[in-house]
Amino acid sequence: MSEFNKRLIQGKERLAEAGKNKPRPATPSADRLPPGQHEVKNWPVLDLGAQPDIPLHKWSLTIDGLIEQPTILMWQDFLALPQVERVSDFHCVTTWSRFGNRWKGVEFKAICDLVKPKPEAKFVFFTAYEGYTTNLPLEIALDDLLLVHEWESKPLPREHGGPVRGVVSKVYAWKGAKWIKQIEFLEKDKLGFWEVRGYSNTADPWTNDRFS
Ligand SMILES: Nc1nc2c(c(=O)[nH]1)N[C@H]1C(S)=C(S)[C@@H](COP(=O)(O)O)O[C@H]1N2
Ligand SMILES: [Mo]
């Protein structure tokens, strides 16, 4: 935690506090660009200031909690899982959206097929190499989450969360952990880094659902 940019975090907590009671649309926008967002063509880097450097031979992904098959994937194990290519939009709560990103990676569903969640598992909690955390309902992770290791046919750059990061497109991008290290299946929801600091737990871009 000490490596994190404290002033940046405090600034965002103030934003969340100021934004929490703003009126929100009752029905979701049908536009590709969610309300309050603008499109960018570059890809900004957003994190807490610590960008861990994880060589592939030291990389692993631990999957535990309420599952039949607790698993630690090494790099080759991860690459041996079914790989998919997907093109999706990326919406950051700081108001930028990036359309049409071409990803390659492993669907969260493929992880579930491997580790077999128990019926009690309803939520998923993600921990990253630098300590960041975030959370999703299992249902949303199954529908939307991709564990990405390539972007535009190249290895995912370290500043964007390489070797492997979570990517979501139906909720704000803070729900996708860069430098993902651990996935834990839970019965009860557990809030992540920004969720405990006033960011919305549901994070729906099309209803401007930024802060709670
Ligand atoms: N490990 C980690 N993952 C993270 C973050 C972070 O600080 N640490 N920031 C989140 C936020 S707020 C956003 S908007 C996206 C930004 O991803 P990018 O830097 O690739 O644009 O990563 C998310 N995942
Ligand atoms: Mo963000």
Side-chain angles (χ1 to χ4, degrees), residues 4-196:
F4 289 170
N5 186 335
K6 292 212 175 66
R7 255 183 305 181
L8 174 147
I9 293 168
Q10 283 165 1
K12 294 203 165 175
E13 283 178 292
R14 278 195 296 274
L15 259 175
E17 181 61 28
K20 72 179 182 186
N21 293 320
K22 293 232 176 93
R24 289 172 41 206
T27 47
S29 158
D31 297 339
R32 181 177 187 181
L33 187 70
Q37 297 289 109
H38 66 280
E39 189 189 351
V40 297
K41 295 288 187 189
N42 61 328
W43 188 9
V45 171
L46 267 98
D47 50 53
L48 303 164
Q51 299 181 338
D53 186 4
I54 311 121
L56 296 181
H57 70 273
K58 290 196 179 152
W59 182 87
S60 68
L61 176 61
T62 298
I63 310 164
D64 56 11
L66 296 171
I67 53 181
E68 302 293 347
Q69 303 283 340
T71 301
I72 298 178
L73 297 173
M74 308 306 287
W75 183 247
Q76 292 307 328
D77 307 324
F78 182 73
L79 289 188
L81 292 173
Q83 303 287 318
V84 300
E85 291 192 20
R86 199 190 277 176
V87 177
S88 72
D89 299 346
F90 189 101
H91 308 289
C92 174
V93 72
T94 63
T95 76
W96 57 269
S97 293
R98 194 177 194 285
F99 289 163
N101 305 284
R102 183 174 300 276
W103 314 111
K104 184 175 178 185
V106 173
E107 285 177 325
F108 180 73
K109 194 185 166 303
I111 300 283
C112 290
D113 291 344
L114 183 76
V115 302
K116 302 185 175 56
K118 295 183 176 174
E120 312 89 86
K122 296 282 183 265
F123 297 92
V124 206
F125 188 79
F126 307 92
T127 305
Y129 273 89
E130 98 284 33
Y132 182 83
T133 55
T134 189
N135 58 301
L136 282 172
L138 179 59
E139 206 175 311
I140 292 190
L142 277 169
D143 175 49
D144 193 22
L145 180 65
L146 191 63
L147 301 180
V148 160
H149 62 90
E150 276 187 22
W151 172 67
E152 304 298 344
S153 306
K154 290 186 288 285
L156 181 69
R158 170 179 163 192
E159 67 270 24
H160 287 298
V164 180
R165 74 169 299 164
V167 163
V168 285
S169 62
K170 298 178 183 174
V171 289
Y172 287 114
W174 84 75
K175 293 278 187 184
K178 295 159 74 163
W179 312 291
I180 191 165
K181 179 181 157 186
Q182 184 184 358
I183 302 176
E184 194 184 355
F185 289 74
L186 302 169
E187 183 174 356
K188 295 211 173 72
D189 202 6
K190 182 161 118 188
L191 300 181
F193 185 88
W194 287 121
E195 291 85 0
V196 300

